[in-house]
Amino acid sequence: MAMANETVTQRKRTVLIVEDNETNREILTELLEDEYDVLQAENGQDGLEQLVAHAGDVSLVMLDAYMPVRSGFEFLEQKRKDPRFDAIPVIVMTASNAVDDEIRCLELGASDFITKPYNVEVMKNRMKSLIRLRESSTMLGRLETDSLTGLYSKEFFYHSVEELLAANPDERYDMVCSDIENFRALNDRYGTAQCDSFLRDVADDLGERIPGLLFGGRIGADVFAFLLRHCIDDGLPVVPISVNVSRRDFETAEQVEALKVLGCDYIQGYYFSKPLPVNEYEEYLKAHT
Amino acid sequence: MTLQELYARVGGSYHDAKRTLPSDALIGKFLVKFLSDRSAGSFFAAYDEHSAPGMFESAHTLKGVCSNLGLTQLSAAASELAEEFRPGAARTMTDAEVARRVEALRADYVRTVESIRAFAAEQ
């Protein structure tokens, strides 16, 4: 029996074939349907509609350049304007002597080309490489951000701070950290969903209040860190370092809901202090995570 | 008639067909499918209507289908006419030359279709 993670990696990806000629569409389908779920579209317009109808499912597009109604060039132009589809790789099927077409398609965001007649092995290998590349970069993107708050993940935050400091040795930066007090007790009392919503609000709120903010990261369950341009000597307002939410702020579930609706201004008990110099942040984080 | 004999008769390449379609059964299946393919008909209609964009698009499509099926002679003839009418490209042939090539393509196409029909009848 296959392991669960093997099933995930071996699942059939979906490929969209956009080609006006029925014979060519069927040849491609025949060649690919053992390894892929195949969708067909007979012109660029139909192809865009298929992308909308199967949003999130399509791993790769095989595209003919010249088609009636909407050409492959127009398909590429429209596709790259839509952030939902921009990252889906496209292999354009061209004639062997169509260098100008290839350049135009590359400018419009095509990923690769195959020439007719198709060499099946070359075609399948290119398809696999592009799908793997796209899925790796998507995975990397997921690892870079914390899915709950949209802040950087802990590792990516550290990495980004190190890179920034190394690249700008003469610049001065400050670090602000927040820690929600009694978070575990809140979690026990109100449940994960309510507290997740609260964490999102706190992250958004701090992100908006901190002056000179460069980026922030979620360092622990309820610990955030923010890197900002140096401001201690600039006379800017001091910023929160700790979010103190005591039980009295959450007497009822309705109040939690009200907090969500009203935003974090409802929270009482911010502790204010000056931002930490960046060289002290590691010690602070060690103590809080 | 074997597939190899069919390809020899129509100026095609069994080897090229095999590169795209890995089995004789698939080659046979799509050769028969070619009998109902509309790209050649669209090309002759566009020629009769003096539609340069129509001639380019249909010749381009015919070239692609034929190259996938290893019908190299037909594909090459369609390619020359497609390039002649490529949008934005300067014309290089006289109208008489175009007419001669279109008739050659038509004869090629008819011979190919008849040969495929004969092949299919024997299967």
Side-chain angles (χ1 to χ4, degrees):
Chain A
M1 193 197 303
M3 301 284 285
N5 60 350
E6 284 175 347
T7 310
V8 170
T9 53
Q10 290 170 7
R11 76 179 161 82
K12 267 188 171 182
R13 269 63 172 177
T14 300
V15 170
L16 171 62
I17 297 169
V18 188
E19 155 76 77
D20 62 320
N21 182 265
E22 188 185 346
T23 311
N24 280 337
R25 276 203 313 273
E26 289 193 11
I27 288 174
L28 269 178
T29 302
E30 181 81 45
L31 296 172
L32 299 176
E33 66 187 356
D34 282 349
E35 295 172 48
Y36 297 96
D37 289 327
V38 177
L39 298 170
Q40 294 189 14
E42 59 184 33
N43 57 57
Q45 181 61 36
D46 189 15
L48 290 168
E49 287 166 12
Q50 295 269 17
L51 278 185
V52 172
H54 300 274
D57 292 338
V58 178
S59 294
L60 181 89
V61 177
M62 303 289 287
L63 181 71
D64 190 23
Y66 293 96
M67 293 176 285
V69 185
R70 199 186 274 268
S71 70
F73 305 110
E74 292 168 310
F75 173 92
L76 286 168
E77 233 170 343
Q78 289 301 313
K79 175 185 160 290
R80 78 168 171 184
K81 286 181 188 166
D82 193 324
R84 289 174 299 171
F85 312 131
D86 187 39
I88 301 173
V90 178
I91 295 179
V92 179
M93 302 174 285
T94 63
S96 53
N97 56 348
V99 178
D100 289 346
D101 290 346
E102 292 185 2
I103 292 169
R104 194 173 160 198
C105 288
L106 279 175
E107 286 170 351
L108 291 170
S111 312
D112 206 345
F113 302 92
I114 56 164
T115 54
K116 297 171 187 172
Y118 312 129
N119 181 312
V120 184
E121 291 311 310
V122 170
M123 179 175 75
K124 287 186 175 179
N125 279 311
R126 286 188 182 174
M127 292 173 71
K128 273 182 198 157
S129 298
L130 280 173
I131 290 173
R132 200 179 301 128
L133 186 66
R134 188 242 177 158
E135 290 180 356
S136 303
S137 30
T138 305
M139 189 62 74
L140 191 65
R142 281 184 192 147
L143 293 173
E144 285 175 2
T145 53
D146 168 53
S147 59
L148 179 69
T149 60
L151 298 175
Y152 285 171
S153 65
K154 177 180 170 182
E155 290 74 17
F156 193 69
F157 179 79
Y158 287 156
H159 173 76
S160 302
V161 170
E162 281 167 10
E163 278 207 332
L164 190 71
L165 296 186
N168 302 284
D170 299 329
E171 291 289 321
R172 293 180 66 195
Y173 299 94
D174 295 327
M175 178 76 67
V176 169
C177 298
S178 76
D179 185 0
I180 297 170
E181 294 184 4
N182 301 320
F183 185 72
R184 184 171 291 179
L186 288 171
N187 208 47
D188 291 344
R189 182 163 180 179
Y190 298 109
T192 306
Q194 294 278 28
C195 286
D196 278 356
S197 173
F198 171 61
L199 281 172
R200 264 194 300 272
D201 288 346
V202 171
D204 287 349
D205 185 51
L206 294 183
E208 283 171 16
R209 283 166 186 256
I210 294 172
L213 176 69
L214 294 168
F215 50 80
R218 187 178 179 195
I219 307 303
D222 61 326
V223 179
F224 305 138
F226 300 89
L227 188 77
L228 51 147
R229 292 184 203 290
H230 175 64
C231 63
I232 292 176
D233 299 330
D234 297 340
L236 290 172
V238 291
V239 291
I241 196 169
S242 177
V243 182
N244 176 25
V245 184
S246 66
R247 278 191 174 197
R248 63 182 154 70
D249 296 318
F250 283 113
E251 287 302 323
T252 65
E254 287 73 24
Q255 281 184 326
V256 175
E257 194 55 36
L259 172 75
K260 205 167 65 179
V261 172
L262 294 171
C264 290
D265 286 340
Y266 185 78
I267 301 172
Q268 302 298 307
Y270 275 148
Y271 288 147
F272 293 92
S273 76
K274 286 188 178 297
L276 283 178
V278 72
N279 58 355
E280 291 176 23
Y281 84 98
E282 266 187 63
E283 205 170 316
Y284 177 89
L285 292 176
K286 268 184 211 162
H288 287 76
T289 53
Chain B
M1 184 174 18
T2 64
L3 274 174
Q4 287 88 338
E5 288 167 341
L6 168 64
Y7 276 98
R9 188 188 284 193
V10 301
S13 166
Y14 171 74
H15 173 75
D16 284 359
K18 196 93 178 178
R19 209 168 53 153
T20 301
L21 297 162
S23 73
D24 284 1
L26 278 180
I27 295 172
K29 174 182 170 180
F30 284 105
L31 281 173
V32 171
K33 171 83 183 162
F34 181 68
L35 297 175
S36 59
D37 189 272
R38 289 184 289 188
S39 48
S42 299
F43 173 76
F44 297 124
Y47 176 67
D48 291 342
E49 292 161 11
H50 307 290
S51 163
M55 285 176 74
F56 169 74
E57 252 179 38
S58 51
H60 188 268
T61 303
L62 180 62
K63 170 195 173 184
V65 179
C66 290
S67 66
N68 278 333
L69 293 174
L71 301 172
T72 45
Q73 191 170 305
L74 206 46
S75 173
S79 176
E80 285 174 352
L81 286 162
E83 290 314 308
E84 179 64 15
F85 292 98
R86 178 178 285 277
R91 291 277 310 272
T92 59
M93 296 179 199
T94 62
D95 286 351
E97 177 65 7
V98 169
R100 193 186 66 74
R101 286 178 187 252
V102 170
E103 287 320 309
L105 177 69
R106 197 190 306 269
D108 231 0
Y109 175 72
V110 169
R111 187 174 66 250
T112 302
V113 165
E114 283 174 354
S115 300
I116 294 171
R117 283 204 182 106
F119 167 79
E122 289 176 20
Q123 302 306 301

